[in-house]
Amino acid sequence: MTERKRQIILGRRKMLFLLSGMFLCMTLLAIVSITNAKENEKKEKVETKNVVVDEATPTEAILANSHTITQADAISIINEFADANGIDRTEYSAELIKLLSRHTEAKDFVLNYPIYKDSKNAAISIDEEYRNGVPHFYQWDERWGYKTYGSGPIGLTGCGPTSLSMVAMYLLKKPSLTPAYMADYATKNGYCSVGNGTSWNFMTEGAEGLGLISEELMPNESVMAEKLREGKPIICVMGPGQFSDTGHYLVFTDYVGGDYSEGRLSGGYFVMNDPNCVENSEKQWKYFEFEAEINNVWCFSER
């Protein structure tokens, strides 16, 4: 073998060796890269599992999916808000605590009570709420809930004027007939007394003074259902029971379903506007569910 051939062969071997080394290095780098990627993926999964999510505040945790809560929880929510806003805890009465425990939707009204209780009422806008059927007002609406009525604010004592406001505004198409207006009207004309709430005369003489026709009804499913079908909203005054401990006014706006299979309209459901409770207002009621608590019934129409 000539020296030239030997040099060529050696050169080729060196080239093959170099290429093999490069290939091996690339392979090792690829393996390391894949391994690191898998490790990072595992690490990310572990870290994801261990991420600490901000816990809900005590108030949010208590109120989650709850309409009623314990009085202890209501006190806890009130104390949390009071401490955060520099409010004396004693500013919250037992009645406010009870309202929050029974109707968590009134939370803002209750918590802000010490802040706004002495403020003058701002101009109230109804925004056409009365044009598409009987409007649904809540007595603890912050637009009027802090206004004094009888022995407390409308938010606690004003189911009567709030109920008649819904009916009168719907039938008379007057946006000025707000719960605040009705509270003043009842007070001025002697239909409200401290400690006794709203008198039944407010639903007869008081309503007629506004330009309504008030008709007292027998507490009877068929009679009430027929009046509602005629477009005459109803106000009931309830005794102590599921709606309140002392008594409560509420509005019925419609009767759905039912038939005349027994010679009278029955078997349907009443649609309720409870001025103190969202949950009661979102369900439909069979007559037997509230029959035992009815103290009196009135239906209304425009004069």
Side-chain angles (χ1 to χ4, degrees), residues 286-301:
K286 284 289 190 179
Y287 184 68
F288 72 85
E289 294 181 284
F290 59 84
E291 176 182 13
E293 294 174 50
I294 297 176
N295 279 343
N296 214 337
V297 187
W298 302 269
C299 73
F300 300 88
S301 56

Side-chain angles (χ1 to χ4, degrees), residues 155-176:
L156 293 176
T157 62
C159 58
T162 303
S163 292
L164 190 56
S165 172
M166 295 187 231
V167 169
M169 193 179 296
Y170 166 65
L171 291 173
L172 301 176
K173 307 302 181 192
K174 293 182 178 179
S176 61

Side-chain angles (χ1 to χ4, degrees), residues 126-135 169-170 173-175:
I126 295 302
D127 297 329
E128 307 292 308
E129 293 173 54
Y130 62 95
R131 293 194 181 278
N132 297 313
V134 180
M169 193 179 296
Y170 166 65
K173 307 302 181 192
K174 293 182 178 179

